[in-house]
Amino acid sequence: MSYSKKIVQEVNLEFENRLAFVESDRNRRLDIAYEKAPELLKLDTEIQKTSVKILGAAMQGKDGLSEKINAIRQEVNALKEKREKILEACGLDKHFTDYKYVCELCNDHGFVNGQVCICRKKELTKRQLDASGLGRLLDTQSFESFSFDYYTEKEEIKELVSYLEEYVEEFGNNSKSLLFVGGTGLGKTHLSTAVARVLIEKGHNVVYETAQNIFSDFEKDRFRDHYDTSYEMLGDRYLDCDLLIIDDLGTEMVTSYSVACLYNIINTRLNRGLPIIASTNLSSGEIRKIYHDRITSRLFGEFSIQKFVGSDMRKLSKKI
Ligand SMILES: [Zn+2]
């Protein structure tokens, strides 16, 4: 589990806001109730005093403690019952002044018994999906929606899909980097998205971006105003995330800067044990022609090459 720092901060803030809202919303209802039934205020003060009584009883020693506590509990219950009756008598619901939490499992704290609550997990995942760069692809492209219909070499693609399903199952530090090679319309993007979706749902920080956009982000960092302290380095997320998916490698404008940048990304991530999935329409010969040996030796030496073979699915699906 490693959500990006920014997302964790956002979610922490979201939960602080939720709690603050629950508190102010309850206070607003409490004011209404006190106005309608001023005797409630006195009753609430009495209920609050009982917790002091419990403390006092505990300090007197263990002798007869449970009986004392039981007696105090009964007293509290009687006071609460009285409170409910007063609320109902002035036409309000007996739960009118209760705290109204979004999540009753954790009372909007985000944690239950030291464990992350399901509501916090959902919020983290939602934001991670939004930040992944996958956008609307996530709506349609999953392992479940992947169709083998258009493939002529069905066995090969089935093998590849099971390999990827196992890959996400066992994903962790030092998972292998993958290079998806094959023409357009052969499902490279679909399967990259499917991998990303499963990993994000498992709590990993996955970033998906085209090669061109990655390099232009690094370019913006390079020409940033060095005196602007509020500037957030755009390139960092490509170096820090658990899995980086680079789409369309080779379609970017190849310059000496983009090549240096790609080398830096590959080198930094592999040294940190953080995998990359890169997809390209180029043949291995074309890759060797475009990129420096330093890059191709890492791509062909340390990435597991996954070939997508077949005819363009988009063309085929139009024929049918
Ligand atoms: Zn919760």
Side-chain angles (χ1 to χ4, degrees), residues 41-107:
L41 183 60
K42 214 178 129 220
L43 204 60
D44 281 349
T45 320
E46 263 181 76
I47 293 173
Q48 274 168 12
K49 274 185 195 159
T50 53
S51 53
V52 182
K53 280 188 193 168
I54 290 182
L55 257 175
M59 282 166 76
Q60 283 167 11
K62 282 181 189 165
D63 275 352
L65 181 61
S66 61
E67 287 84 6
K68 282 181 204 162
I69 288 180
N70 271 340
I72 299 170
R73 280 214 183 111
Q74 275 177 9
E75 194 187 328
V76 175
N77 287 340
L79 288 171
K80 283 189 176 164
E81 238 171 75
K82 201 170 162 190
R83 195 179 190 284
E84 288 175 357
K85 283 198 180 115
I86 296 174
L87 283 171
E88 281 174 334
C90 53
L92 297 171
D93 186 273
K94 63 178 177 182
H95 296 298
F96 183 71
T97 59
D98 288 3
Y99 286 96
K100 302 257 191 305
Y101 296 107
V102 178
C103 174
E104 287 181 357
L105 292 172
C106 67
N107 288 351

Side-chain angles (χ1 to χ4, degrees), residues 15 18 102-112 116-121:
F15 277 84
R18 266 187 213 179
V102 178
C103 174
E104 287 181 357
L105 292 172
C106 67
N107 288 351
D108 295 345
H109 285 83
F111 295 90
V112 195
V116 179
C117 181
I118 185 93
C119 68
R120 186 177 160 91
K121 270 187 202 158

Side-chain angles (χ1 to χ4, degrees), residues 143-159:
F143 280 120
E144 292 76 25
S145 68
F146 189 77
S147 162
F148 298 99
D149 292 353
Y150 309 121
Y151 289 90
T152 40
E153 309 288 329
K154 287 203 191 337
E155 281 319 303
E156 278 181 28
I157 191 74
K158 276 186 183 162
E159 231 169 77

